[in-house]
Amino acid sequence: MPSTVENWFKEYIHDKVTTKFQALGGYLDGTMTQGDVQANLVKFPVEGRLEVYELTGAIEPVPVNTIDLTTVQVIMRDFEASGYWRVQDAYKSGPQEQDALARMIVKAARRKRDKIKLDALVAFQTAFPAATNLNLPGVVNTYGTGVEVPDIKIYHEAASDIFATGAEGTVYAAIRAKTHAQLLYYKEYADAKFIGESGPWSDGQRTKMRRVQDIVFMTLPDEYFVFPSGTSVHEWMWHESAMGVEMPFVAEQVTMDQTLLQGKPWLVRNNMSGAAIGILPEGVRRLHLLKSTTITRPV
């Protein structure tokens, strides 16, 4: 807050600030691979396969293979969260209100970071679709038909098909809060530990993460999901190397500038740049499940 915005009186809000329910954002940070930035272009290398050959002892040309190394490219986009704050409101504000305003702008940018990643998953499945419940190579396979109650078995099946391709590392699953509540009725999920302090996670992420073997479940608000029929939901699972994201400029520091508009209101803003793209379709799975409204106890 610039020093020219004077605090004419200080409000004491013992319960801090009452905030409308909204997603904090930033839940998907650190779940996708990063690329190489060249100006406004991001390149993600796609590593192919190379085989060795046996030495025969003969004096002959070396068998040469073409190096199977390609790139997937995406152009970054720029975004801004902004709003006007009237001078009449600013000069009467206290530190709690100023902090609430800054946090509101930052949350908008953090949600956009997540939305960029989720939009990339949707676009990837649209570009490489597959018939439901068919585990085919080179496409984004879908598990479920929209009537299945979330079951830990479905997620293990989808993850095992990813690992069957030779993938190593971590698979992430973005699930609804109601799905999380349903999965708690399965012992292997209920007894799983939270991911803890390892990894580049924020406090908000850690509270919504749970690792079951090689799957890290991330519980997200409903606004992050698509409900195609009103009674079903699309949840997502991806390997950390199957999706690429780059956020070279994310300024979680709100700026305030007084404008020349009528009344000289303050323009509050926060900027960011970034892009996300699918790299390996065999490392991404879509789960088309029932949009649960109640919890069903497994038989």
Side-chain angles (χ1 to χ4, degrees), residues 32 117 120-125 128 130 135-136 138-143 158-159 161-162 165 171-172 235-244 277-287:
M32 299 179 180
K117 300 177 180 71
L121 286 164
V122 174
F124 204 31
Q125 192 280 330
F128 298 93
N135 185 30
L136 302 175
V139 295
V140 177
N141 288 280
T142 296
Y143 293 73
D161 286 338
I162 292 177
T165 64
V171 164
Y172 296 94
E235 296 180 338
W236 294 96
M237 177 180 289
W238 67 93
H239 188 275
E240 56 189 343
S241 298
M243 298 294 298
I277 192 172
I279 301 175
L280 301 172
E282 55 269 27
V284 178
R285 297 290 187 268
R286 184 178 71 174
L287 299 108

Side-chain angles (χ1 to χ4, degrees), residues 121 125 132-133 140-159 162 171-176 179 183 215 217 225-228 232-238 284-291:
L121 286 164
Q125 192 280 330
T132 301
N133 294 338
V140 177
N141 288 280
T142 296
Y143 293 73
T145 60
V147 297
E148 293 85 357
V149 175
D151 188 319
I152 193 67
K153 174 181 177 294
I154 299 175
Y155 299 93
H156 277 303
E157 181 179 349
I162 292 177
V171 164
Y172 296 94
I175 62 173
R176 297 176 62 218
T179 299
L183 294 180
I215 308 173
F217 290 86
F225 298 96
V226 173
F227 303 94
S232 63
V233 61
H234 285 164
E235 296 180 338
W236 294 96
M237 177 180 289
W238 67 93
V284 178
R285 297 290 187 268
R286 184 178 71 174
L287 299 108
H288 188 194
L289 306 175
L290 179 70
K291 178 189 175 184

Side-chain angles (χ1 to χ4, degrees), residues 45-100:
V46 181
E47 179 184 335
R49 188 183 180 100
L50 187 64
E51 303 293 347
V52 302
Y53 60 88
E54 183 180 358
L55 295 175
T56 64
I59 307 301
E60 59 184 9
V62 175
V64 178
N65 295 319
T66 301
I67 300 297
D68 184 12
L69 182 62
T70 58
T71 60
V72 174
Q73 304 178 5
V74 64
I75 300 294
M76 285 187 295
R77 295 181 293 165
D78 302 316
F79 305 93
E80 180 179 81
S82 63
Y84 286 110
W85 198 26
R86 297 188 311 163
V87 170
Q88 295 92 324
D89 296 326
Y91 86 88
K92 294 181 293 186
S93 66
Q96 298 285 11
E97 186 176 349
Q98 296 164 13
D99 180 62

